[in-house]
Amino acid sequence: MVMLRVRGFEIHKSYLSLQEQQALIEVLRPVLKAVPLFSPTVASGGKMSVRMTSAGRYGWYSDEQGHRYQAHHPKGQHWPEIPPEILNIWRALTQTDREPECCLVNYYGENARMGLHQDRDEADFSYPVLSISLGDDGLYRMGNETRGGKSESLWLNSGDVVVMGGEARLKYHGVDRIRFKSSRLLPKGGRINLTLRVVT
């Protein structure tokens, strides 16, 4: 396990063993059954290429009215609790006095991507955002606190964990592409990204 620091982003390479990754996939199965993945709509009316759902007190949601946190899935059911196996990773790497209130589950298929964006829908930016990669490799881009300028990219592999706190908390970041079926963790291929956040 190696920890890299790029533009303030703490990148814990190979933080999770294969057995730990497989265990996370298993605890996610009942979450995905209770609150299935959906394709959010953006303000312009188009659909995001990433499908998502959430666990925790709040889930992240986007439609024609904009993006926000809300307490229930688009079909009305409340989000299930964040599995303790996921919370343990937050506790080990962030050492904060708050537990995450949202675990956003993003699924990237073969052609999915996530444009450069800031995580700024939360009330308190002093708490970090923690990101867990499972499945196929994703090309992760890290930018600046404002749009434009130089950026840096690296491949995130299954089992990598990124902590965005301090100077990196409001920096733009995104996923440019997926190396589809580069991992055997998910039988049908694809990448799952778990993003833990303190919301209120």
Side-chain angles (χ1 to χ4, degrees):
M1 184 178 64
V2 176
M3 198 276 276
L4 307 175
R5 188 180 293 274
V6 182
R7 295 175 175 250
F9 293 75
E10 291 183 9
I11 302 157
H12 299 261
K13 298 294 292 180
S14 303
Y15 183 79
L16 300 172
S17 68
L18 177 58
Q19 291 74 22
E20 290 169 325
Q21 295 169 44
Q22 292 169 334
L24 288 188
I25 294 299
E26 289 307 309
V27 301
L28 284 171
R29 292 188 190 281
V31 172
L32 296 174
K33 185 175 182 179
V35 284
L37 295 166
F38 61 94
S39 299
T41 302
V42 295
S44 62
K47 293 281 190 182
M48 293 179 67
S49 61
V50 173
R51 293 192 292 151
M52 62 181 58
T53 190
S54 295
R57 183 178 175 189
Y58 299 102
W60 191 88
Y61 182 70
S62 177
D63 59 17
E64 291 88 345
Q65 281 72 53
H67 47 81
R68 60 196 178 276
Y69 287 101
Q70 62 182 34
H72 54 82
H73 186 273
K75 292 187 177 179
Q77 59 268 52
H78 285 277
W79 311 108
E81 292 185 0
I82 301 172
E85 293 86 350
I86 297 172
L87 290 175
N88 287 339
I89 300 169
W90 169 272
R91 293 166 184 156
L93 291 179
T94 66
Q95 300 174 345
T96 68
D97 61 351
R98 296 275 306 273
E99 295 278 56
E101 296 165 291
C102 175
C103 175
L104 178 62
V105 182
N106 285 333
Y107 173 75
Y108 292 77
E110 184 171 6
N111 298 309
R113 61 184 295 276
M114 181 72 72
L116 283 173
H117 65 281
Q118 291 173 301
D119 290 346
R120 57 179 311 124
D121 292 328
E122 301 75 35
D124 189 341
F125 301 142
S126 67
Y127 292 100
V129 172
L130 183 142
S131 170
I132 302 167
S133 293
L134 298 169
D136 290 343
D137 302 339
L139 186 59
Y140 188 62
R141 183 180 295 275
M142 294 159 285
N144 310 292
E145 288 192 3
T146 56
R147 283 197 179 275
K150 293 183 178 179
S151 62
E152 296 181 59
S153 299
L154 58 75
W155 286 98
L156 292 179
N157 313 113
S158 193
D160 291 351
V161 179
V162 179
V163 180
M164 293 172 274
E167 65 174 297
R169 178 60 181 80
L170 290 176
K171 286 187 174 175
Y172 280 84
H173 57 281
V175 176
D176 287 344
R177 64 188 178 95
I178 300 299
R179 225 160 14 201
F180 192 60
K181 292 199 172 178
S182 54
S183 168
R184 296 182 179 179
L185 188 67
L186 302 177
K188 295 181 180 179
R191 173 180 185 259
I192 290 176
N193 174 242
L194 307 177
T195 307
L196 298 168
R197 304 167 182 172
V198 174
V199 174
T200 60

